[in-house]
Amino acid sequence: MKTIIFFFILIFASFHLLAENGHKLWLRYKNTGTVNVVCQMNSATLTIAKEELQNGWRGKDGASFALTVKQDKEIKGDGFKISKNGIQANTELGILYGVYEILRRQYTGEAIDEEICNPSYERRILDHWDNLNGTIERGYAGLSIFWRSGKDSLVVTKKDRELWKEYARADASIGINGAVLDNVNASPLILTTGCLNRVKAIAEVLRPYGIKTYLAINFASPSVIGGLKTSDPFDPEVKKWWKDKAKEIYSMIPDFGGFLVKANSEGQPGPQNFGRTHDDGANMIADALKPFGGIVMWRAFVYSPNDKDRARQAYNEFMLLDGKFRDNVIIQVKNGPVDFQPREPFNPLFGAMKKTSVMPELQVTQEYLGQAIHLVFLATMWKEFLQSDTYQEGKGSTVARCTDGSIYPQKYTAIAGVANIGLDTNWCGHPFAQANWYAFGRLAWNNNLTSEKIADEWLKLTFKPTASEDKEMLTALSVEWNLNFLKPVKQMMLNSREAAVNYMMPLGLHHIFAANDHYGPGPWWGPKGVRRDWTPPYYHQADTNGIGFDRTRTGSNALSQYHEPLASLFNDVKTCPEVYLLWFHHLPWDYKMKSERTLWDALCYHYEAGLQKVREFQKVWDKVERYVDPERFALVQSKLRQQCVNAQLWKDACLLYFQQFSRKPIPYDIERPVHDLKDIIKNDMERLRRRD
Amino acid sequence: MKTIIFFFILIFASFHLLAENGHKLWLRYKNTGTVNVVCQMNSATLTIAKEELQNGWRGKDGASFALTVKQDKEIKGDGFKISKNGIQANTELGILYGVYEILRRQYTGEAIDEEICNPSYERRILDHWDNLNGTIERGYAGLSIFWRSGKDSLVVTKKDRELWKEYARADASIGINGAVLDNVNASPLILTTGCLNRVKAIAEVLRPYGIKTYLAINFASPSVIGGLKTSDPFDPEVKKWWKDKAKEIYSMIPDFGGFLVKANSEGQPGPQNFGRTHDDGANMIADALKPFGGIVMWRAFVYSPNDKDRARQAYNEFMLLDGKFRDNVIIQVKNGPVDFQPREPFNPLFGAMKKTSVMPELQVTQEYLGQAIHLVFLATMWKEFLQSDTYQEGKGSTVARCTDGSIYPQKYTAIAGVANIGLDTNWCGHPFAQANWYAFGRLAWNNNLTSEKIADEWLKLTFKPTASEDKEMLTALSVEWNLNFLKPVKQMMLNSREAAVNYMMPLGLHHIFAANDHYGPGPWWGPKGVRRDWTPPYYHQADTNGIGFDRTRTGSNALSQYHEPLASLFNDVKTCPEVYLLWFHHLPWDYKMKSERTLWDALCYHYEAGLQKVREFQKVWDKVERYVDPERFALVQSKLRQQCVNAQLWKDACLLYFQQFSRKPIPYDIERPVHDLKDIIKNDMERLRRRD
């Protein structure tokens, strides 16, 4: 009988899908009953916590639930303890985080037992590469939510505040507690009073949600906007200018987080312009912030045009400075040694700088991973990075443990993600790009979470129908949804990054993207007069003898920057993981892979696998049409189509380009290219000309 | 031992491929010995015959070979009798044809036993849709070989004569004996003396190769260039004008073939402009040509904008006139009732006009079949047409037998093909488009040849390496070549037309191509103010109820024009061949096909099969790279890539467009579309705007 009823429900129930445009993100909470929140204290943050609980409650109708701010040494920072009956935390923000945890579990079906949840990193920051004119560097989801152009650009409107509040709520719901509001390629104007007033307004909206504001600053600010003759960090006037500026900022924004600095990198000014070193510059600014509790995040993304291996340079430059930085300086290091490529080994600075605080910088915006067009779930890439073993303090010295305070007693622990957020209705351009924002927050909170759990949570929160008021109906539908939607779509997400690696840059290839826009393939690009280390041929080194960048001991020896046994492991072509093969080795086209295939054939099969995977993703998505509201369904479907076209272009372009050197046929069981190389290159050149 | 030697040869032999650009067509003859040609007579044609034999001879070195012009009633017209020792024919042209037959057999390896070869049709004509300014209507291989623009456009150069001679040789080698030198949408200027002088020069070059010249004329010529007040065929002045013009032409070109007339069709003038009928017009011109032995080819391609079914009209209009035409008028009828679509049932006029000479008009140029980009071998389509049984004189009354004189005692038998020839180095744009020129000639000569035999001949003549002077080596390579090149490539050719039908217009769909250029898909196109019967929706009739043009007894009843049992067979959806299903029936989307699939699903699988077939063709071609000279290999490879892209566009466009009506998913095991319908339509509209 029960079975019959069940089928009856399945047949007659339908997924009454509400129109959704993705603006609600993973916060589609809608209560099914009431909750009696017991809380002795009152504050802006606690008010939010109570409201969220009441508006989203899916627990027992009429239940009583206590929010208790009380010190507990088991609970760290803004961590919290949850149970069926309530939340306990050291801070009000901890309570708020606990509320989001309770709601998440109610909606995902995860059990709510007594459990303490502590954050992995103290500072969990989104870096917005937003320009003061409203554009976003490497932004693919519209204009900035913080800045805009025009004569009223600095006027703060009600609409601004509403949007910032929505943004803050989304951040808080996943534990993000900091936001750098402007581009690392920073305008000096950010520190003018007009801009600071706007920052103050933003900070006020963000504050109840526990989000500190930070600013990326231009090292030459004292001379450019301060009217000083120099920005030399040893100049007393300059020091004073920064101290005064800090004082001004903190008078406006008492909980201001600090500065992010890109110095002496890709044309940005820095201490080296004045004959000083990175520590000279960082410490001078740190000293100015110190009295107010501010920090300096100083980027290690530096490389001069003349070094024979760009991948070596951050390490070369910064290792010399280990121990020379103030304790409120954190060196911010990109996950890989080059630049947010689809796959890189970890940057050897992680774990190696033992006397300096180091924080990872991840890129949430998919600059090199298909931007807002490709469906690429980045959690797997970040987990691969965080779990990489540096061996710096013996086996198990993962990047995660080297940066979260488990191994080194950093004064501050932090992690940053370059945001993928803009004015697009759905915030991120691609509905699935929201998952990367979500994943960054979740991993910053807990770097032990699995990609699978994060995808599972996000899908349930973001796509699971919540409309039915009938609990039995909802349960029946849930079984079907889990099987037919959750399972295949989650698997697609988990496979998506490897697919992108395959159709873009497999086997350790890197930096072979199209110039400027970084979207399509461009392994051929290398005009005269351009910095060699900005051109793909510098990285792939393809010729008739073979392909790959020789970073072995007989090559650039970049692998010597890794702790043993990694250096030796990478050095030996037989033990070097094939995913990094061409990152570390230049190998002949007929090099025999573990699969017994030649390198050339293996390369072909990787590109092919990538393309076919996207075709598979299209099938996965089309099959779940009935479980998704029409607007999001159509948008994802359309983007997957574009992704497929682009994957085919990547495959064709790279294989046909490299085939000029390998002079071998593409294995005949592989789907044939549909482009001619000369047309691809011609179109690429035209694209570049149009841009000039 | 023999085996060892054989393998030795295979390993060390290589295909020394000469650079080839395709200009030599299937005429890559190069002798390997001498022949002693015995011939009592002498003439321009016989000189060519002797030279061809000597230059191409691959028979026994030093053999003696006799060419004998001698009447034999077993031999018809320009037919011939071949044997190992020589050729006998009624005419010199028959000798030349016999020579090409001998050479063909020597190069293809076909046995040369005593055999009489007679032509199926007396007139085997190429219609060149060449405009006097040098452009070609529906020409995809460059400009005209006969006409050009500019002030010296009518000057005949040495280069002109050389090219015309090459053209004439190619035609003669496959039995073509007539050429209409100008577009059916004819300029009246073609009959001016300047143009006629050029025609005379062309005729002189073509004559030794047995090719008669014909002209397409404009029915309004008397008034437009003759200065008369009318072109009314009943007007004595008009009649006189045509008689005088005929006289003038025959004084210049004594063997002139006659006129081709497109009258009262798509805006061209005709007798109906003067209240006369087609027979009035055709007969008047026929009378003018009669004294000189000229014929009139009068096209039945007529349709008025107001009829409810365009497919009915040629029949409706011309059946009334059966028996009213002079015996030197031939009604030229396109193979299908609409317009050279990828698949149409035969035009019901074939076999139905019992008292009138009727000739088929085929289209060699691939207007609706991928033009010079798609590899589509048309022999299979033409064979399907020629073998269609009209039942007009009982079972076995095929179109072939109804038109070649087997059934009806026509005074003249003829067949025309719209040429695909231009100034491109390889004549036809696509190397494989040459096969359609070849196939048309061969089928015009012998409508019993199989597509397979024609493809086999053409491939051997066109691609088989002939370089080696070492006979043993050549034999060894030949075995390999037959296995690895001939077999798969021939199969590709034989499958190619069905593939095109599948990815363009399967299951009887027709006329759903893009407006104007007729290359891509355009099922949506139907702006206001355009003749309904020029728009795809008129033909596919898709709506939420179903798809297809109802031509059954309860519909337009076009099928009543077919002789029983065809009319009943087509009328019953259960017996109607599925290849013509939507030509004759409007059916619901969930109509159950013989495969048990719904109509919608079947449609999807057909489109998918077409696309996948092209992907397969790419593999076939890439695999034969070592057997083909680089230039032709690369050109075909590139064109197959474009074909694949276009096949994907066709599939996506049609399925996504029709899906709007079917409202059903594309079966999930099918490769997903990679385009969005709105983008496809937008691009199509932009293309049309650019053209305006």
Side-chain angles (χ1 to χ4, degrees):
Chain A
M1 186 58 193
K2 199 152 188 188
T3 316
I4 292 169
I5 291 172
F6 184 76
F7 278 110
F8 179 83
I9 291 169
L10 272 188
I11 290 162
F12 290 89
S14 66
F15 285 81
H16 289 292
L17 301 163
L18 299 174
E20 299 204 39
N21 57 20
H23 190 71
K24 288 187 176 174
L25 296 161
W26 47 87
L27 295 157
R28 296 153 65 249
Y29 300 136
K30 196 177 171 212
N31 66 28
T32 52
T34 61
V35 57
N36 178 28
V37 182
V38 181
C39 181
Q40 311 296 347
M41 298 168 68
N42 236 325
S43 75
T45 301
L46 287 173
T47 300
I48 295 168
K50 288 177 218 169
E51 284 176 3
E52 290 283 18
L53 213 48
Q54 280 157 343
N55 294 337
W57 186 257
R58 290 242 161 165
K60 197 179 152 196
D61 188 23
S64 192
F65 199 80
L67 305 180
T68 314
V69 179
K70 190 177 127 189
Q71 296 301 314
D72 183 329
K73 60 182 182 177
E74 295 285 303
I75 302 172
K76 311 288 181 196
D78 296 319
F80 53 83
K81 181 158 78 179
I82 55 165
S83 73
K84 282 198 171 49
N85 307 316
I87 302 165
Q88 184 194 324
N90 297 330
T91 63
E92 293 171 2
L93 185 54
I95 295 292
L96 181 59
Y97 289 154
V99 164
Y100 287 120
E101 180 69 24
I102 290 290
L103 290 176
R104 175 161 37 241
R105 292 186 185 216
Q106 286 183 346
Y107 282 74
T108 61
E110 199 180 338
I112 301 173
D113 297 319
E114 190 167 299
E115 186 179 339
I116 291 175
C117 304
N118 287 325
S120 296
Y121 297 91
E122 187 212 337
R123 310 247 173 168
R124 305 170 295 277
I125 301 171
L126 276 183
D127 291 0
H128 293 265
W129 286 359
D130 295 15
N131 298 309
L132 302 187
N133 68 359
T135 62
I136 303 179
E137 184 159 335
R138 309 305 172 187
Y140 310 104
L143 295 172
S144 169
I145 62 170
F146 298 122
W147 308 98
R148 61 171 161 259
S149 63
K151 64 182 171 59
D152 292 333
S153 62
L154 296 176
V155 176
V156 176
T157 66
K158 192 176 161 215
K159 214 173 136 198
D160 284 338
R161 287 205 177 85
E162 278 166 10
L163 191 67
W164 298 337
K165 187 175 165 184
E166 289 178 323
Y167 162 78
R169 178 182 177 228
D171 270 358
S173 75
I174 50 174
I176 289 170
N177 67 358
V180 180
L181 302 185
D182 61 324
N183 192 352
V184 280
N185 294 316
S187 165
L189 297 178
I190 186 66
L191 293 182
T192 56
T193 309
C195 286
L196 289 176
N197 276 328
R198 191 168 174 88
V199 172
K200 178 173 185 280
I202 296 169
E204 281 162 5
V205 177
L206 269 47
R207 188 169 296 120
Y209 287 93
I211 297 158
K212 279 193 161 77
T213 48
Y214 298 76
L215 293 176
I217 57 94
N218 186 299
F219 197 80
S221 298
S223 50
V224 179
I225 62 161
L228 304 189
K229 284 189 187 139
T230 179
S231 294
D232 181 353
F234 283 10
D235 184 284
E237 293 286 313
V238 170
K239 288 185 189 181
K240 181 171 183 304
W241 189 89
W242 283 109
K243 279 186 200 291
D244 290 348
K245 187 51 77 177
K247 200 171 165 185
E248 180 191 356
I249 293 171
Y250 279 93
S251 73
M252 298 166 79
I253 309 158
D255 60 346
F256 182 72
F259 291 146
L260 168 63
V261 192
K262 175 177 180 177
N264 295 124
S265 164
E266 298 184 326
Q268 292 299 319
Q272 294 173 346
N273 296 45
F274 312 97
R276 315 301 177 189
T277 56
H278 281 289
D279 55 318
D280 295 337
N283 290 342
M284 180 271 293
I285 295 179
D287 288 342
L289 295 173
K290 181 91 178 183
F292 310 101
I295 65 168
V296 172
M297 296 171 286
W298 192 268
R299 290 175 102 227
F301 180 62
V302 298
Y303 57 104
S304 60
N306 46 5
D307 195 277
K308 68 171 182 158
D309 184 0
R310 168 170 161 186
R312 291 172 53 98
Q313 295 194 57
Y315 185 97
N316 282 352
E317 201 155 342
F318 276 83
M319 277 306 288
L320 297 171
L321 310 175
D322 192 19
K324 296 188 172 177
F325 293 96
R326 299 285 186 268
D327 67 1
N328 63 332
V329 173
I330 312 187
I331 304 303
Q332 181 167 314
V333 182
K334 289 188 181 184
N335 58 292
V338 171
D339 189 11
F340 295 140
Q341 297 303 289
R343 173 168 273 132
E344 300 186 44
F346 68 90
N347 190 313
L349 279 171
F350 290 109
M353 291 190 91
K354 296 173 199 287
K355 293 172 278 182
T356 308
S357 296
V358 172
M359 64 186 282
E361 177 180 328
L362 307 175
Q363 195 182 43
V364 186
T365 191
Q366 296 164 237
E367 177 178 357
Y368 299 102
L369 283 140
Q371 304 177 359
I373 296 172
H374 296 209
L375 189 161
V376 181
F377 181 52
L378 298 175
T380 49
M381 179 167 87
W382 297 332
K383 284 295 287 185
E384 179 179 292
F385 159 69
L386 290 167
Q387 290 175 332
S388 297
D389 199 338
T390 70
Y391 291 94
Q392 289 286 354
E393 298 292 327
K395 193 161 160 47
S397 307
T398 59
V399 170
R401 298 186 67 241
C402 287
T403 53
D404 69 4
S406 305
I407 293 179
Y408 303 115
Q410 303 188 178
K411 174 151 184 190
Y412 298 98
T413 62
I415 188 166
V418 180
N420 62 349
I421 296 156
L423 280 179
D424 275 5
T425 304
N426 68 12
W427 299 90
C428 303
H430 195 308
F432 278 76
Q434 298 178 354
N436 293 327
W437 179 7
Y438 184 87
F440 170 73
R442 295 291 287 143
L443 282 174
W445 179 270
N446 180 358
N447 58 23
N448 284 313
L449 286 180
T450 64
S451 308
E452 196 271 342
K453 174 154 177 20
I454 296 170
D456 190 274
E457 284 177 9
W458 179 78
L459 282 169
K460 285 173 176 166
L461 295 170
T462 307
F463 282 107
K464 193 156 180 173
T466 58
S468 178
E469 305 294 318
D470 179 334
K471 223 173 170 182
E472 196 167 355
M473 171 92 79
L474 212 53
T475 309
L477 293 176
S478 179
V479 172
E480 184 189 338
W481 186 89
N482 285 343
L483 190 68
N484 294 345
F485 180 92
L486 180 64
K487 197 179 159 194
V489 176
K490 186 163 62 182
Q491 198 53 54
M492 168 170 73
M493 290 176 73
L494 294 173
N495 291 339
S496 60
R497 182 264 186 151
E498 199 64 37
V501 168
N502 278 332
Y503 63 70
M504 288 178 171
M505 308 184 203
L507 293 175
L509 287 175
H510 51 289
H511 207 298
I512 60 172
F513 44 78
N516 299 335
D517 76 6
H518 300 179
Y519 177 66
W524 46 80
W525 188 77
K528 275 187 187 156
V530 169
R531 277 179 68 157
R532 279 280 292 144
D533 61 355
W534 282 354
T535 72
Y538 171 95
Y539 295 94
H540 63 64
Q541 298 276 327
D543 57 27
T544 53
N545 297 317
I547 184 172
F549 198 123
D550 184 359
R551 295 191 168 105
T552 65
R553 286 175 190 141
T554 50
S556 82
N557 202 23
L559 47 66
S560 68
Q561 297 178 339
Y562 289 94
H563 198 284
E564 288 294 357
L566 285 184
S568 297
L569 185 100
F570 292 153
N571 190 66
D572 183 349
V573 69
K574 293 291 165 211
T575 55
C576 179
E578 286 191 344
V579 292
Y580 301 135
L581 199 63
L582 304 178
W583 183 282
F584 288 116
H585 296 270
H586 185 83
L587 294 171
W589 293 107
D590 57 2
Y591 171 79
K592 201 59 82 60
M593 305 288 288
K594 292 194 180 84
S595 65
E596 296 286 307
R597 282 179 175 150
T598 65
L599 172 57
W600 166 250
D601 281 0
L603 199 65
C604 293
Y605 284 107
H606 274 280
Y607 276 104
E608 172 70 353
L611 170 60
Q612 295 307 331
K613 208 65 180 176
V614 181
R615 293 207 196 287
E616 186 190 310
F617 294 165
Q618 290 190 278
K619 287 185 181 176
V620 168
W621 188 251
D622 281 2
K623 276 187 203 173
V624 300
E625 180 166 5
R626 67 178 296 244
Y627 302 106
V628 189
D629 52 290
E631 186 171 335
R632 289 190 297 173
F633 175 80
L635 186 56
V636 173
Q637 183 185 54
S638 173
K639 286 178 182 287
L640 280 168
R641 288 170 179 169
Q642 295 172 63
Q643 181 174 357
C644 186
V645 169
N646 191 245
Q648 186 148 30
L649 183 69
W650 267 98
K651 175 193 143 188
D652 288 5
C654 293
L655 291 185
L656 294 175
Y657 171 77
F658 291 132
Q659 192 178 32
Q660 299 177 115
F661 305 110
S662 81
R663 297 174 182 171
K664 293 169 190 297
I666 296 167
Y668 294 114
D669 55 347
I670 283 179
E671 193 182 299
R672 313 318 286 169
V674 297
H675 303 87
D676 284 335
L677 182 61
K678 66 174 195 317
D679 296 333
I680 298 175
I681 294 180
K682 200 176 122 220
N683 290 340
D684 187 43
M685 294 306 167
E686 274 167 15
R687 179 185 61 81
L688 289 167
R689 250 196 308 281
R690 275 196 307 274
R691 193 182 173 278
D692 286 346
Chain B
M1 184 60 191
K2 198 149 186 191
T3 316
I4 292 170
I5 291 173
F6 183 76
F7 276 110
F8 178 82
I9 291 169
L10 273 189
I11 290 162
F12 289 89
S14 67
F15 284 82
H16 290 292
L17 301 163
L18 299 174
E20 299 203 39
N21 58 20
H23 189 70
K24 288 186 178 174
L25 297 161
W26 48 85
L27 294 158
R28 295 151 67 248
Y29 300 136
K30 198 178 168 208
N31 66 27
T32 52
T34 61
V35 58
N36 177 29
V37 181
V38 181
C39 182
Q40 310 295 348
M41 297 168 70
N42 236 327
S43 76
T45 301
L46 288 173
T47 301
I48 294 167
K50 288 177 217 168
E51 284 175 5
E52 290 283 17
L53 212 48
Q54 281 157 344
N55 294 337
W57 186 257
R58 290 243 161 163
K60 197 180 153 195
D61 187 22
S64 191
F65 198 81
L67 305 181
T68 314
V69 180
K70 190 177 127 189
Q71 295 303 311
D72 183 331
K73 61 181 181 174
E74 296 285 304
I75 302 173
K76 309 288 180 197
D78 296 318
F80 53 83
K81 180 159 76 179
I82 54 165
S83 72
K84 281 197 172 49
N85 307 316
I87 302 165
Q88 185 194 322
N90 297 332
T91 63
E92 293 171 4
L93 185 55
I95 296 292
L96 181 58
Y97 289 154
V99 165
Y100 288 120
E101 180 69 24
I102 290 290
L103 291 176
R104 173 160 41 238
R105 292 185 183 218
Q106 286 183 347
Y107 282 74
T108 61
E110 198 180 340
I112 300 175
D113 297 319
E114 190 166 298
E115 187 178 339
I116 290 175
C117 303
N118 287 325
S120 297
Y121 297 91
E122 187 212 338
R123 310 249 172 167
R124 305 170 296 276
I125 302 172
L126 277 182
D127 290 0
H128 292 265
W129 286 0
D130 295 15
N131 298 310
L132 301 187
N133 68 357
T135 59
I136 302 180
E137 182 159 336
R138 310 305 172 187
Y140 311 104
L143 294 173
S144 170
I145 62 170
F146 297 122
W147 308 98
R148 63 171 160 260
S149 63
K151 64 182 170 61
D152 293 332
S153 62
L154 295 176
V155 176
V156 176
T157 67
K158 193 176 159 214
K159 215 172 133 198
D160 282 338
R161 287 205 178 84
E162 279 166 9
L163 192 67
W164 296 339
K165 188 175 165 181
E166 289 178 324
Y167 162 78
R169 179 182 175 229
D171 270 358
S173 76
I174 49 175
I176 289 171
N177 68 358
V180 180
L181 302 184
D182 62 325
N183 191 353
V184 279
N185 292 316
S187 165
L189 296 178
I190 187 67
L191 293 182
T192 57
T193 309
C195 286
L196 288 177
N197 276 327
R198 190 169 174 87
V199 172
K200 178 173 186 279
I202 296 169
E204 281 162 5
V205 178
L206 269 48
R207 188 170 296 118
Y209 287 93
I211 297 160
K212 280 194 161 76
T213 48
Y214 297 77
L215 293 176
I217 56 95
N218 186 299
F219 197 80
S221 297
S223 51
V224 179
I225 62 162
L228 304 191
K229 284 187 185 142
T230 180
S231 294
D232 179 352
F234 284 9
D235 184 284
E237 292 286 312
V238 170
K239 289 184 188 179
K240 180 170 185 306
W241 189 90
W242 282 109
K243 281 186 199 289
D244 291 347
K245 186 52 74 177
K247 198 169 167 188
E248 179 190 355
I249 293 171
Y250 279 92
S251 73
M252 299 166 79
I253 308 158
D255 60 347
F256 182 72
F259 292 145
L260 169 63
V261 192
K262 176 177 181 178
N264 294 124
S265 163
E266 298 184 327
Q268 293 298 321
Q272 293 172 346
N273 296 46
F274 311 97
R276 315 302 176 189
T277 56
H278 282 288
D279 54 317
D280 295 336
N283 291 341
M284 179 270 296
I285 295 178
D287 289 342
L289 294 172
K290 182 92 179 182
F292 310 100
I295 63 167
V296 171
M297 295 171 287
W298 192 270
R299 289 175 103 227
F301 180 62
V302 297
Y303 58 105
S304 60
N306 46 4
D307 194 277
K308 67 173 183 158
D309 183 359
R310 169 170 160 186
R312 291 172 55 98
Q313 297 193 57
Y315 184 97
N316 282 352
E317 202 154 342
F318 277 84
M319 278 305 287
L320 297 172
L321 310 176
D322 191 18
K324 296 189 174 176
F325 293 97
R326 299 287 187 268
D327 66 1
N328 63 332
V329 173
I330 312 188
I331 304 304
Q332 181 167 313
V333 183
K334 290 187 181 184
N335 58 292
V338 171
D339 189 12
F340 296 141
Q341 297 303 288
R343 172 168 275 133
E344 299 185 45
F346 69 89
N347 189 311
L349 277 173
F350 290 109
M353 291 190 90
K354 297 173 199 287
K355 291 174 277 180
T356 308
S357 296
V358 172
M359 64 186 284
E361 177 180 326
L362 307 175
Q363 195 182 42
V364 186
T365 192
Q366 296 163 237
E367 176 177 358
Y368 299 103
L369 283 141
Q371 303 177 358
I373 295 172
H374 296 210
L375 190 161
V376 181
F377 181 52
L378 298 176
T380 48
M381 181 168 84
W382 296 331
K383 284 295 287 186
E384 180 179 293
F385 159 68
L386 289 167
Q387 291 175 332
S388 295
D389 199 337
T390 70
Y391 292 93
Q392 288 287 354
E393 299 292 327
K395 196 163 158 46
S397 307
T398 60
V399 170
R401 298 186 66 241
C402 286
T403 53
D404 68 6
S406 305
I407 294 179
Y408 303 115
Q410 302 189 180
K411 173 147 185 192
Y412 298 99
T413 63
I415 188 167
V418 180
N420 62 349
I421 295 157
L423 281 178
D424 275 5
T425 304
N426 69 11
W427 298 91
C428 304
H430 195 308
F432 277 76
Q434 297 176 355
N436 293 328
W437 180 4
Y438 183 87
F440 170 73
R442 296 290 286 141
L443 282 175
W445 179 269
N446 181 357
N447 58 23
N448 284 314
L449 287 179
T450 64
S451 308
E452 197 273 342
K453 173 150 177 24
I454 296 170
D456 189 274
E457 285 177 9
W458 179 78
L459 282 169
K460 285 173 175 166
L461 295 170
T462 306
F463 282 107
K464 194 157 184 174
T466 57
S468 177
E469 304 294 320
D470 179 334
K471 225 175 168 183
E472 198 167 355
M473 171 92 80
L474 211 55
T475 308
L477 292 176
S478 177
V479 172
E480 184 189 339
W481 186 89
N482 285 343
L483 190 69
N484 294 345
F485 180 92
L486 180 64
K487 198 178 157 195
V489 176
K490 185 162 60 183
Q491 198 54 54
M492 168 171 72
M493 290 175 72
L494 295 173
N495 290 340
S496 60
R497 182 265 185 151
E498 199 63 37
V501 168
N502 278 332
Y503 63 69
M504 289 178 171
M505 309 183 202
L507 292 176
L509 287 176
H510 52 289
H511 207 299
I512 61 171
F513 45 78
N516 298 333
D517 77 6
H518 300 180
Y519 177 66
W524 46 79
W525 188 77
K528 274 189 188 155
V530 168
R531 276 179 68 155
R532 279 280 292 145
D533 61 356
W534 282 355
T535 71
Y538 172 94
Y539 295 94
H540 63 64
Q541 298 276 328
D543 57 26
T544 52
N545 297 317
I547 184 172
F549 199 122
D550 184 357
R551 295 190 168 106
T552 65
R553 286 174 192 143
T554 50
S556 81
N557 202 22
L559 47 66
S560 68
Q561 296 177 339
Y562 291 94
H563 198 284
E564 286 296 355
L566 284 184
S568 296
L569 185 100
F570 292 153
N571 189 65
D572 182 350
V573 70
K574 293 291 166 209
T575 56
C576 180
E578 287 192 344
V579 293
Y580 301 134
L581 198 62
L582 304 178
W583 184 282
F584 288 115
H585 296 270
H586 185 82
L587 295 171
W589 293 107
D590 57 2
Y591 171 78
K592 201 61 81 62
M593 305 288 288
K594 294 196 179 83
S595 65
E596 296 286 307
R597 284 179 174 151
T598 64
L599 171 59
W600 165 250
D601 281 0
L603 200 65
C604 293
Y605 283 108
H606 273 280
Y607 276 104
E608 172 70 352
L611 170 59
Q612 294 309 330
K613 208 66 180 176
V614 180
R615 293 208 195 286
E616 185 190 309
F617 294 165
Q618 290 190 277
K619 287 186 181 175
V620 167
W621 188 250
D622 281 3
K623 275 188 205 174
V624 301
E625 179 166 6
R626 67 177 295 247
Y627 303 105
V628 189
D629 51 289
E631 187 171 334
R632 289 190 296 174
F633 176 79
L635 185 57
V636 173
Q637 183 185 54
S638 173
K639 284 177 183 289
L640 280 168
R641 288 171 178 169
Q642 296 171 63
Q643 181 174 357
C644 187
V645 169
N646 190 245
Q648 186 148 31
L649 183 69
W650 267 98
K651 175 192 142 187
D652 289 5
C654 293
L655 291 185
L656 294 175
Y657 172 76
F658 291 132
Q659 193 178 32
Q660 299 177 115
F661 305 109
S662 82
R663 297 173 182 172
K664 292 169 190 295
I666 296 166
Y668 296 113
D669 54 348
I670 284 179
E671 193 181 300
R672 312 318 285 169
V674 297
H675 304 87
D676 283 335
L677 182 62
K678 67 176 193 315
D679 297 332
I680 298 175
I681 295 179
K682 199 177 122 219
N683 291 340
D684 187 45
M685 293 305 165
E686 275 166 16
R687 178 185 62 78
L688 290 168
R689 250 195 309 280
R690 276 197 304 275
R691 194 182 172 278
D692 286 345

